[in-house]
């Protein structure tokens, strides 16, 4: 947890055996749920709010924020330097490759993600399904 910054910790619901890597930055203003056995690598960033910007006549810093909760399922591995954007819903047993940017989408259970923006590159399956 060395160097990790957590803003709005009162908006976090965190289950058992969650591992948070060094130098994470978690902005939980919009709400964050992390299920059991999730693993966050070093330098992971999770945002649950963003600046409003649509009023062209007003400075962005004066327009307030919009909030979208983030949900991280059970037994999820989030690699180093991943950025998770407001509204992302990562299903159980997903794996997110290092340096990926995870957008405001629903990612199904067992999905392996990589890239910017993150996209499906494979599936994590149980041993009983490996031979099919």
């Amino acid at each position: 947890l060395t160097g990790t910054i957590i803003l709005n910790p009162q908006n976090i619901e965190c289950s058992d055996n969650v591992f948070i890597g060094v130098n994470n930055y978690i902005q939980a203003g919009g709400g964050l749920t992390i299920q059991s056995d999730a693993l966050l690598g070093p330098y992971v960033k999770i945002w649950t709010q963003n600046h409003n910007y649509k009023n062209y006549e007003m400075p962005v810093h004066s327009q307030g924020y919009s909030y979208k909760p983030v949900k991280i399922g059970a037994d999820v591995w989030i690699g180093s330097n991943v950025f998770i954007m407001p509204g992302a819903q990562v299903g159980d047993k997903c794996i997110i490759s290092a340096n990926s940017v995870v957008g405001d989408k629903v990612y199904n259970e067992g999905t392996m993600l990589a890239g910017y923006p993150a996209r499906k590159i494979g599936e994590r399956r149980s041993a009983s399904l490996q031979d099919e």
Side-chain angles (χ1 to χ4, degrees):
L1 205 55
T2 302
T4 291
I5 296 172
I6 300 175
L7 303 177
N8 300 296
Q10 72 278 6
N11 295 336
I12 298 175
E13 181 182 326
C14 189
S15 295
D16 296 332
N17 299 315
V18 170
F19 296 88
I20 297 176
V22 298
N23 295 314
N24 282 205
Y25 194 106
I26 298 171
Q27 169 42 276
L32 172 61
T33 302
I34 306 175
Q35 297 297 328
S36 61
D37 299 308
L39 172 62
L40 284 65
Y43 298 94
V44 168
K45 294 169 188 66
I46 301 175
W47 253 241
T48 64
Q49 68 185 62
N50 208 347
H51 289 279
N52 293 327
Y53 58 88
K54 293 187 178 181
N55 184 341
Y56 188 77
E57 305 304 321
M58 181 185 291
V60 171
H61 66 79
S62 298
Q63 294 186 44
Y65 298 95
S66 57
Y67 301 88
K68 289 185 177 181
V70 168
K71 296 181 182 178
I72 308 290
D75 190 23
V76 169
W77 176 21
I78 302 172
S80 180
N81 291 308
V82 168
F83 195 117
I84 298 180
M85 303 295 289
Q89 296 181 41
V90 180
D92 294 348
K93 300 188 177 295
C94 286
I95 296 175
I96 305 171
S97 178
N99 298 307
S100 296
V101 176
V102 179
D104 178 7
K105 294 182 181 180
V106 175
Y107 300 91
N108 294 327
E109 179 176 336
T111 302
M112 296 173 64
L113 302 167
Y116 171 47
R119 65 192 186 293
K120 180 179 178 178
I121 61 166
E123 291 182 12
R124 186 176 172 208
R125 299 175 4 157
S126 73
S128 64
L129 297 175
Q130 292 296 327
D131 296 328
E132 292 181 9

